[in-house]
Amino acid sequence: MLLNGKTPSINQIRYFVAVAKYLSFRQAATSLGISQPTLTSQINTLENSLDLVLFERSRTGTLLSPQGKALIEAAEEVLQANHRFNEIARDLAEGEVVTFRLGIPPTLGPYLLPHILPELHHRKPGLRFYVREAAPQALQHGLLHGEYDLIISPLSSEYSQLITEPLFNEPLKFVVPSDHPLAGNAYVRPEQIAGEKVLTLEDRHHFHHQVQHICDEIGANLQRDYEGTSLDTLRQMVVMGMGVAFLPGLYIHSELHHPEALHVCEIEGMPIERQHSLAWRNTAPGRKTFREITSVIRDIIASRLSTAVDVINN
């Protein structure tokens, strides 16, 4: 029986999980957006109501007590169940019109969504999407923690909590300035790029690491001193003769209609591409709807972007 007959609140359980995660009351309070005294008071109230000591506090830091370790998994399950309860209630309250929070990388969203969202809305007028852009790692973290309902990402899922449906493969094209010695060739051999100065995006982008792997494989030099903040910036750096680069096929399809200042080609015998998938939590109440959305998106891409990407039909 709980001391004083008081059941812990959802917030108190959330506070307990946060302190257990950071093992620091200060960091946990910052992540929760509350003051440290408020957090300390709520944890004390929780411990009193449970008649348990959840944390070992000392001058050197904070540790979970044995009792805290025994409760942490159940506490996390309570928060997940509460989140699912709120999702179902939100869907029921909104009736036929449902708004989903969609996350997508900035190297993909502006060049994909204009082609698919209008048609998707036409086919399923009850759907609405609130779109936010972030790097793939941040998208996956946000999906796991309920910040997104769906994400489109080049990362394959490493988590059993996520369902991942491949959508399409997007080629990466090699671009050089129009006055570069390699300009004019439809294909260039890997050895012709060895020693070239390759420009790319900042390393917070998944795209950066893929280009770095390509450079390591063919012996090109990745330029860390000059990294673009966007694909447009990267393109302009190539135009100015600062180096060569790889650009995603959808960006080229959408933005380079008259690429007089750039030449686009491919690496001979070395097709380079990245795979994009639609992902959601396996506990999401809209799982059936998300599979339908996956099928519709594939169909739209096949009809509108078949010259730029390869659709993956499972």
Side-chain angles (χ1 to χ4, degrees):
M1 181 180 294
L2 296 177
L3 193 64
N4 301 324
K6 294 183 178 179
T7 300
S9 69
I10 288 294
N11 274 343
Q12 288 173 340
I13 294 174
R14 183 176 292 109
Y15 298 163
F16 166 50
V17 170
V19 177
K21 174 183 177 181
Y22 290 100
L23 293 179
S24 164
F25 278 71
R26 179 180 59 80
Q27 292 182 34
T30 299
S31 72
L32 292 164
I34 62 175
S35 69
Q36 186 171 336
T38 297
L39 176 61
T40 300
S41 174
Q42 287 296 310
I43 293 296
N44 288 338
T45 300
L46 176 62
E47 290 179 321
N48 289 334
S49 68
L50 297 174
D51 196 21
L52 294 172
V53 175
L54 300 176
F55 298 99
E56 298 176 13
R57 305 166 177 86
S58 70
R59 291 182 178 179
T60 58
T62 301
L63 297 173
L64 268 174
S65 70
Q67 293 89 344
K69 291 178 181 178
L71 281 174
I72 188 63
E73 184 176 346
E76 291 172 340
E77 291 174 355
V78 169
L79 294 184
Q80 291 173 2
N82 179 68
H83 178 73
R84 185 164 181 263
F85 175 90
N86 289 331
E87 284 188 323
I88 295 173
R90 183 196 66 201
D91 290 350
L92 292 173
E94 291 176 343
E96 295 183 359
V97 177
V98 181
T99 300
F100 293 116
R101 296 160 295 175
L102 173 66
I104 193 166
T107 58
L108 177 66
Y111 319 110
L112 173 68
L113 296 184
H115 295 282
I116 64 172
L117 286 187
E119 179 65 17
L120 183 59
H121 176 63
H122 175 73
R123 298 192 192 188
K124 291 187 170 293
L127 294 181
R128 301 287 188 274
F129 291 97
Y130 172 69
V131 180
R132 288 177 55 193
E133 293 182 349
Q137 289 285 2
L139 290 175
Q140 196 165 56
H141 180 272
L143 180 61
L144 287 166
H145 290 82
E147 297 172 21
Y148 304 102
D149 301 303
L150 292 160
I151 63 171
I152 299 178
S153 171
L155 292 179
S156 59
S157 175
E158 300 174 357
Y159 300 94
S160 59
Q161 304 100 302
L162 299 182
I163 296 174
T164 303
E165 286 286 345
L167 292 174
F168 61 92
N169 290 321
E170 178 188 25
L172 298 183
K173 304 290 188 177
F174 183 60
V175 296
V176 299
S178 57
D179 59 355
H180 192 279
L182 295 176
N185 298 312
Y187 292 89
V188 298
R189 299 187 305 277
E191 59 267 25
Q192 290 179 286
I193 306 176
E196 287 282 350
K197 295 179 179 179
V198 178
L199 305 169
T200 188
L201 300 178
E202 299 167 319
D203 61 6
R204 67 186 180 89
H205 295 276
H206 178 262
F207 179 72
H208 169 99
H209 300 285
Q210 187 170 13
V211 172
Q212 183 174 42
H213 176 74
I214 297 168
C215 290
D216 291 342
E217 189 172 346
I218 64 180
N221 300 317
L222 189 67
Q223 299 300 292
R224 296 303 305 271
D225 294 336
Y226 303 100
E227 294 179 338
T229 56
S230 69
L231 292 177
D232 282 336
T233 302
L234 185 60
R235 168 188 174 185
Q236 293 305 320
M237 290 166 69
V238 175
V239 170
M240 291 186 294
M242 297 176 66
V244 299
F246 291 89
L247 288 176
L250 280 175
Y251 175 81
I252 291 173
H253 177 81
S254 298
E255 303 297 320
L256 300 189
H257 303 298
H258 303 288
E260 292 87 357
L262 285 179
H263 176 72
V264 181
C265 53
E266 297 184 28
I267 310 300
E268 185 176 306
M270 189 179 175
I272 303 169
E273 60 187 16
R274 58 179 185 169
Q275 184 179 105
H276 298 285
S277 301
L278 189 68
W280 59 87
R281 293 180 299 280
N282 61 10
T283 57
R287 296 187 297 277
K288 180 180 178 182
T289 299
F290 295 161
R291 293 193 184 279
E292 292 175 356
I293 291 173
T294 301
S295 179
V296 173
I297 290 177
R298 285 180 182 142
D299 187 51
I300 295 171
I301 292 173
S303 64
R304 292 175 176 264
L305 295 169
S306 61
T307 59
V309 300
D310 294 320
V311 175
I312 301 172
N313 291 306
N314 287 355

